[in-house]
Amino acid sequence: MTDDAAQAPAPSPDPFALAATAAARIAELTGVERHDVALVLGSGWAGAGAEIGRVVAEVVATEVPGFSAPAVVGHAGTITSLRVERPGTDPLHALVLPRTHVYEGRGVRAVAHGVRTAAAAGCRTVVLTNGCGGLDPVIPPGSPVLIADHLNLTGLSPLEGATFVDMTDLYSSRLRGLARGIDPDLPEGVYCQFRGPQYETPAEVRMAGVLGGDLVGMSTALEAVAARHVGLEVLGLSLVTNLAAGVSEEPLSHAEVLEAGREAAPRCARLLAGIVPLL
Protein backbone atom coordinates (compact mmCIF):
# COMPACT_ATOMS: atom_id res chain seq x y z
CA MET A 1 0.00 0.00 0.00
CA THR A 2 1.37 3.41 -0.93
CA ASP A 3 1.54 6.32 1.49
CA ASP A 4 -1.06 8.13 -0.63
CA ALA A 5 -3.45 5.19 -0.39
CA ALA A 6 -2.93 4.92 3.35
CA GLN A 7 -3.79 8.59 3.82
CA ALA A 8 -6.76 8.71 1.43
CA PRO A 9 -10.05 9.46 3.23
CA ALA A 10 -12.61 6.70 3.45
CA PRO A 11 -15.42 7.07 0.89
CA SER A 12 -18.52 8.75 2.29
CA PRO A 13 -21.51 6.43 2.75
CA ASP A 14 -24.29 6.41 0.19
CA PRO A 15 -26.70 9.11 1.47
CA PHE A 16 -29.82 7.07 0.78
CA ALA A 17 -28.44 3.97 2.50
CA LEU A 18 -27.52 6.19 5.47
CA ALA A 19 -31.06 7.60 5.51
CA ALA A 20 -32.53 4.07 5.51
CA THR A 21 -30.26 3.12 8.42
CA ALA A 22 -31.29 6.26 10.29
CA ALA A 23 -34.98 5.55 9.70
CA ALA A 24 -34.61 2.03 11.02
CA ARG A 25 -32.86 3.36 14.11
CA ILE A 26 -35.63 5.91 14.69
CA ALA A 27 -38.24 3.15 14.46
CA GLU A 28 -36.25 1.13 17.00
CA LEU A 29 -35.79 4.02 19.45
CA THR A 30 -39.32 5.44 19.22
CA GLY A 31 -41.27 2.21 18.87
CA VAL A 32 -43.13 3.72 15.90
CA GLU A 33 -42.65 1.60 12.80
CA ARG A 34 -43.79 4.21 10.31
CA HIS A 35 -44.29 7.99 10.40
CA ASP A 36 -46.64 9.98 8.17
CA VAL A 37 -45.41 13.57 8.26
CA ALA A 38 -42.10 15.21 9.14
CA LEU A 39 -41.47 18.65 10.56
CA VAL A 40 -38.29 20.70 10.70
CA LEU A 41 -38.89 23.47 13.21
CA GLY A 42 -36.72 26.55 12.80
CA SER A 43 -36.36 29.68 14.92
CA GLY A 44 -39.72 30.60 16.45
CA TRP A 45 -41.31 27.28 15.60
CA ALA A 46 -39.54 24.87 17.96
CA GLY A 47 -42.12 25.08 20.73
CA ALA A 48 -44.95 24.01 18.44
CA GLY A 49 -44.40 20.30 18.98
CA ALA A 50 -46.28 20.25 22.29
CA GLU A 51 -49.32 21.82 20.61
CA ILE A 52 -49.30 19.48 17.61
CA GLY A 53 -49.58 16.14 19.37
CA ARG A 54 -48.63 13.86 22.22
CA VAL A 55 -44.97 12.99 22.58
CA VAL A 56 -44.48 9.26 22.06
CA ALA A 57 -40.71 9.33 22.29
CA GLU A 58 -37.83 11.79 22.22
CA VAL A 59 -34.28 10.75 21.43
CA VAL A 60 -30.97 12.55 21.28
CA ALA A 61 -30.21 13.19 17.62
CA THR A 62 -26.64 11.93 17.88
CA GLU A 63 -28.00 8.46 18.69
CA VAL A 64 -29.26 8.24 15.09
CA PRO A 65 -26.77 7.73 12.22
CA GLY A 66 -26.06 10.86 10.20
CA PHE A 67 -27.34 13.40 12.72
CA SER A 68 -25.09 15.74 14.70
CA ALA A 69 -25.35 17.89 17.79
CA PRO A 70 -26.74 21.40 17.15
CA ALA A 71 -24.13 24.00 16.27
CA VAL A 72 -26.16 27.06 17.27
CA VAL A 73 -27.80 28.12 20.54
CA GLY A 74 -31.58 27.85 20.20
CA HIS A 75 -31.53 25.00 17.65
CA ALA A 76 -32.90 21.57 18.52
CA GLY A 77 -30.72 18.54 19.15
CA THR A 78 -33.46 15.94 19.49
CA ILE A 79 -35.69 13.81 17.30
CA THR A 80 -39.29 13.57 18.51
CA SER A 81 -42.13 11.24 17.57
CA LEU A 82 -45.62 12.70 18.04
CA ARG A 83 -49.05 11.09 17.92
CA VAL A 84 -51.50 13.54 16.34
CA GLU A 85 -55.16 12.75 17.01
CA ARG A 86 -57.69 13.37 14.24
CA PRO A 87 -61.40 13.12 15.09
CA GLY A 88 -63.20 10.52 13.03
CA THR A 89 -60.11 8.98 11.48
CA ASP A 90 -56.80 7.35 12.34
CA PRO A 91 -54.12 9.38 14.13
CA LEU A 92 -51.02 10.65 12.37
CA HIS A 93 -47.50 9.92 13.47
CA ALA A 94 -45.34 13.02 13.10
CA LEU A 95 -41.56 13.09 13.20
CA VAL A 96 -39.86 16.30 14.35
CA LEU A 97 -36.30 16.43 13.03
CA PRO A 98 -33.37 18.75 13.68
CA ARG A 99 -31.70 20.78 10.94
CA THR A 100 -28.14 20.99 9.64
CA HIS A 101 -27.17 24.28 7.97
CA VAL A 102 -24.70 24.71 5.12
CA TYR A 103 -22.60 27.06 7.24
CA GLU A 104 -21.87 24.30 9.73
CA GLY A 105 -19.40 22.87 7.23
CA ARG A 106 -20.70 19.28 7.28
CA GLY A 107 -21.55 19.25 3.58
CA VAL A 108 -24.74 19.29 1.57
CA ARG A 109 -25.44 15.61 2.19
CA ALA A 110 -25.76 16.41 5.90
CA VAL A 111 -28.17 19.25 5.08
CA ALA A 112 -30.40 16.87 3.10
CA HIS A 113 -30.12 13.96 5.53
CA GLY A 114 -33.18 14.92 7.59
CA VAL A 115 -35.67 14.95 4.71
CA ARG A 116 -34.15 11.80 3.20
CA THR A 117 -34.53 10.08 6.56
CA ALA A 118 -38.14 11.29 6.75
CA ALA A 119 -38.94 9.70 3.41
CA ALA A 120 -37.22 6.46 4.44
CA ALA A 121 -39.28 6.51 7.66
CA GLY A 122 -42.50 6.48 5.61
CA CYS A 123 -43.37 10.18 5.59
CA ARG A 124 -45.25 11.50 2.58
CA THR A 125 -45.25 15.17 3.62
CA VAL A 126 -42.67 17.49 5.17
CA VAL A 127 -43.24 20.86 6.81
CA LEU A 128 -40.13 23.05 6.58
CA THR A 129 -40.10 26.12 8.81
CA ASN A 130 -37.55 28.82 9.47
CA GLY A 131 -36.92 32.22 10.97
CA CYS A 132 -35.97 34.77 8.34
CA GLY A 133 -35.41 38.39 7.45
CA GLY A 134 -38.24 40.21 5.72
CA LEU A 135 -37.94 42.55 2.76
CA ASP A 136 -41.46 43.98 2.98
CA PRO A 137 -41.90 46.48 5.83
CA VAL A 138 -45.66 45.88 5.59
CA ILE A 139 -45.03 42.37 7.00
CA PRO A 140 -43.68 43.08 10.49
CA PRO A 141 -41.46 40.85 12.64
CA GLY A 142 -43.52 38.13 14.27
CA SER A 143 -45.48 37.36 11.09
CA PRO A 144 -45.66 33.83 9.64
CA VAL A 145 -45.47 33.71 5.83
CA LEU A 146 -46.22 30.86 3.43
CA ILE A 147 -43.32 30.07 1.11
CA ALA A 148 -44.65 30.05 -2.45
CA ASP A 149 -41.27 29.53 -4.16
CA HIS A 150 -37.57 30.00 -3.52
CA LEU A 151 -34.34 31.33 -4.93
CA ASN A 152 -31.37 29.11 -4.15
CA LEU A 153 -28.49 31.59 -3.85
CA THR A 154 -26.08 29.19 -2.17
CA GLY A 155 -24.43 27.96 -5.37
CA LEU A 156 -25.06 24.41 -4.14
CA SER A 157 -27.48 21.55 -4.75
CA PRO A 158 -28.29 18.46 -2.68
CA LEU A 159 -28.64 16.48 -5.91
CA GLU A 160 -25.66 14.72 -7.43
CA GLY A 161 -24.95 13.60 -10.97
CA ALA A 162 -27.48 13.78 -13.78
CA THR A 163 -30.45 14.03 -11.41
CA PHE A 164 -33.04 16.19 -13.16
CA VAL A 165 -36.02 16.92 -10.93
CA ASP A 166 -38.98 19.17 -11.77
CA MET A 167 -39.31 22.07 -9.32
CA THR A 168 -42.73 23.28 -10.52
CA ASP A 169 -45.06 23.70 -7.52
CA LEU A 170 -42.23 22.66 -5.21
CA TYR A 171 -44.03 24.33 -2.31
CA SER A 172 -47.35 22.56 -2.73
CA SER A 173 -50.25 24.82 -3.70
CA ARG A 174 -52.56 22.19 -2.20
CA LEU A 175 -50.87 22.41 1.18
CA ARG A 176 -50.74 26.20 1.04
CA GLY A 177 -54.50 26.12 0.51
CA LEU A 178 -54.91 23.98 3.63
CA ALA A 179 -52.80 26.43 5.61
CA ARG A 180 -54.89 29.39 4.46
CA GLY A 181 -57.95 27.47 5.61
CA ILE A 182 -56.49 27.66 9.12
CA ASP A 183 -55.29 31.27 8.81
CA PRO A 184 -56.81 33.11 5.83
CA ASP A 185 -54.59 36.14 6.47
CA LEU A 186 -51.32 34.30 5.82
CA PRO A 187 -49.26 36.20 3.23
CA GLU A 188 -47.11 34.39 0.67
CA GLY A 189 -43.58 35.13 -0.41
CA VAL A 190 -40.48 33.94 -2.25
CA TYR A 191 -37.72 32.73 0.09
CA CYS A 192 -34.07 33.33 -0.76
CA GLN A 193 -31.49 31.03 0.80
CA PHE A 194 -27.99 32.39 1.28
CA ARG A 195 -25.14 30.28 2.62
CA GLY A 196 -24.39 32.35 5.75
CA PRO A 197 -23.33 32.35 8.51
CA GLN A 198 -23.01 36.13 8.14
CA TYR A 199 -26.23 38.02 7.69
CA GLU A 200 -26.91 39.42 4.25
CA THR A 201 -25.53 42.84 3.32
CA PRO A 202 -27.94 45.61 2.34
CA ALA A 203 -26.75 45.20 -1.28
CA GLU A 204 -27.45 41.46 -1.18
CA VAL A 205 -30.90 42.15 0.22
CA ARG A 206 -31.58 44.65 -2.58
CA MET A 207 -30.39 42.04 -5.09
CA ALA A 208 -32.78 39.47 -3.61
CA GLY A 209 -35.62 41.95 -3.97
CA VAL A 210 -34.76 42.71 -7.59
CA LEU A 211 -34.76 38.96 -8.29
CA GLY A 212 -38.24 38.62 -6.80
CA GLY A 213 -37.43 37.63 -3.23
CA ASP A 214 -39.50 38.58 -0.19
CA LEU A 215 -37.67 36.67 2.56
CA VAL A 216 -33.99 35.94 3.22
CA GLY A 217 -32.42 33.22 5.35
CA MET A 218 -29.90 30.41 5.59
CA SER A 219 -31.94 27.21 5.31
CA THR A 220 -34.94 25.45 3.72
CA ALA A 221 -34.33 25.73 -0.05
CA LEU A 222 -31.77 22.91 -0.24
CA GLU A 223 -33.94 20.74 2.01
CA ALA A 224 -36.96 21.40 -0.18
CA VAL A 225 -35.09 20.31 -3.32
CA ALA A 226 -33.95 17.11 -1.61
CA ALA A 227 -37.49 16.51 -0.33
CA ARG A 228 -38.98 16.82 -3.81
CA HIS A 229 -36.38 14.37 -5.13
CA VAL A 230 -37.45 11.68 -2.63
CA GLY A 231 -41.14 12.23 -3.31
CA LEU A 232 -42.23 14.32 -0.34
CA GLU A 233 -44.93 16.98 -0.66
CA VAL A 234 -43.52 20.20 0.81
CA LEU A 235 -45.13 22.91 2.91
CA GLY A 236 -42.83 25.83 3.68
CA LEU A 237 -43.44 28.41 6.39
CA SER A 238 -41.21 31.33 7.37
CA LEU A 239 -41.43 33.46 10.48
CA VAL A 240 -40.22 37.01 9.89
CA THR A 241 -37.98 37.51 12.92
CA ASN A 242 -36.47 40.79 11.74
CA LEU A 243 -36.49 43.17 8.82
CA ALA A 244 -33.53 42.42 6.56
CA ALA A 245 -30.42 44.58 6.41
CA GLY A 246 -31.11 47.90 4.72
CA VAL A 247 -34.89 47.55 5.16
CA SER A 248 -34.48 48.52 8.79
CA GLU A 249 -31.76 50.82 10.11
CA GLU A 250 -31.31 48.63 13.17
CA PRO A 251 -28.29 46.26 13.22
CA LEU A 252 -29.07 42.54 13.08
CA SER A 253 -28.32 40.10 15.89
CA HIS A 254 -28.98 36.46 16.69
CA ALA A 255 -30.41 37.51 20.05
CA GLU A 256 -33.02 39.57 18.19
CA VAL A 257 -33.96 36.54 16.10
CA LEU A 258 -34.40 34.38 19.20
CA GLU A 259 -36.46 37.01 21.02
CA ALA A 260 -38.79 37.55 18.05
CA GLY A 261 -39.20 33.78 17.83
CA ARG A 262 -40.15 33.52 21.49
CA GLU A 263 -42.76 36.26 21.13
CA ALA A 264 -44.30 34.69 18.02
CA ALA A 265 -44.16 31.11 19.28
CA PRO A 266 -47.80 30.87 20.46
CA ARG A 267 -49.16 31.99 17.06
CA CYS A 268 -46.81 29.64 15.23
CA ALA A 269 -47.80 26.76 17.48
CA ARG A 270 -51.52 27.34 16.91
CA LEU A 271 -50.98 27.52 13.17
CA LEU A 272 -49.09 24.24 12.97
CA ALA A 273 -51.47 22.54 15.40
CA GLY A 274 -54.27 23.38 12.98
CA ILE A 275 -52.41 22.39 9.82
CA VAL A 276 -50.69 19.12 10.73
CA PRO A 277 -53.87 17.04 11.38
CA LEU A 278 -54.98 17.90 7.85
CA LEU A 279 -51.83 16.55 6.18
Side-chain angles (χ1 to χ4, degrees), residues 12 24 37 46-48 66-67 77 96 104 112-114 125 131 138 143 157 177 230-231 234 239 242 261:
S12 59
V37 58
F67 289 93
V96 183
E104 296 177 36
H113 181 60
T125 306
V138 174
S143 302
S157 173
V230 292
V234 179
L239 171 66
N242 56 272

Side-chain angles (χ1 to χ4, degrees), residues 141-191:
S143 302
V145 180
L146 284 166
I147 300 176
D149 206 343
H150 79 228
L151 292 168
N152 176 10
L153 302 179
T154 67
L156 301 169
S157 173
L159 308 182
E160 302 174 32
T163 307
F164 307 116
V165 181
D166 180 30
M167 293 290 118
T168 305
D169 198 36
L170 171 58
Y171 297 91
S172 168
S173 56
R174 184 185 76 86
L175 297 184
R176 299 202 313 270
L178 292 178
R180 282 192 296 271
I182 300 299
D183 187 343
D185 296 327
L186 278 175
E188 288 192 351
V190 174
Y191 180 87

Side-chain angles (χ1 to χ4, degrees), residues 11-99:
S12 59
D14 174 78
F16 301 99
L18 182 62
T21 301
R25 180 64 171 154
I26 288 171
E28 177 186 356
L29 292 172
T30 64
V32 179
E33 182 178 352
R34 184 181 180 88
H35 287 84
D36 304 295
V37 58
L39 300 101
V40 179
L41 301 179
S43 298
W45 301 91
E51 299 292 331
I52 294 169
R54 177 176 62 83
V55 175
V56 175
E58 186 173 69
V59 300
V60 177
T62 51
E63 295 183 18
V64 178
F67 289 93
S68 304
V72 181
V73 174
H75 290 175
T78 58
I79 294 171
T80 305
S81 177
L82 301 173
R83 180 184 172 95
V84 182
E85 299 297 339
R86 300 188 296 170
T89 188
D90 294 335
L92 284 175
H93 293 285
L95 190 61
V96 183
L97 295 165
R99 165 175 279 145

Side-chain angles (χ1 to χ4, degrees), residues 95-266:
L95 190 61
V96 183
L97 295 165
R99 165 175 279 145
T100 297
H101 296 79
V102 170
Y103 60 70
E104 296 177 36
R106 297 182 175 125
V108 183
R109 284 186 174 185
V111 173
H113 181 60
V115 295
R116 288 170 175 160
T117 297
C123 296
R124 57 183 182 272
T125 306
V126 64
V127 181
L128 300 174
T129 70
N130 61 61
C132 71
L135 275 66
D136 186 348
V138 174
I139 302 176
S143 302
V145 180
L146 284 166
I147 300 176
D149 206 343
H150 79 228
L151 292 168
N152 176 10
L153 302 179
T154 67
L156 301 169
S157 173
L159 308 182
E160 302 174 32
T163 307
F164 307 116
V165 181
D166 180 30
M167 293 290 118
T168 305
D169 198 36
L170 171 58
Y171 297 91
S172 168
S173 56
R174 184 185 76 86
L175 297 184
R176 299 202 313 270
L178 292 178
R180 282 192 296 271
I182 300 299
D183 187 343
D185 296 327
L186 278 175
E188 288 192 351
V190 174
Y191 180 87
C192 304
Q193 181 179 351
F194 289 82
R195 290 179 69 159
Q198 73 281 352
Y199 289 111
E200 302 78 20
T201 68
E204 289 170 336
V205 170
R206 289 196 299 273
M207 175 190 72
V210 169
L211 293 174
D214 303 291
L215 313 160
V216 293
M218 305 175 194
S219 69
T220 304
L222 296 176
E223 294 163 313
V225 172
R228 165 58 65 87
H229 177 231
V230 292
L232 295 175
E233 191 174 13
V234 179
L235 175 65
L237 285 160
S238 288
L239 171 66
V240 177
T241 56
N242 56 272
L243 293 178
V247 180
S248 168
E249 296 181 358
E250 297 296 321
L252 305 181
S253 73
H254 187 58
E256 176 190 14
V257 170
L258 294 178
E259 178 58 28
R262 281 190 290 268
E263 291 180 1

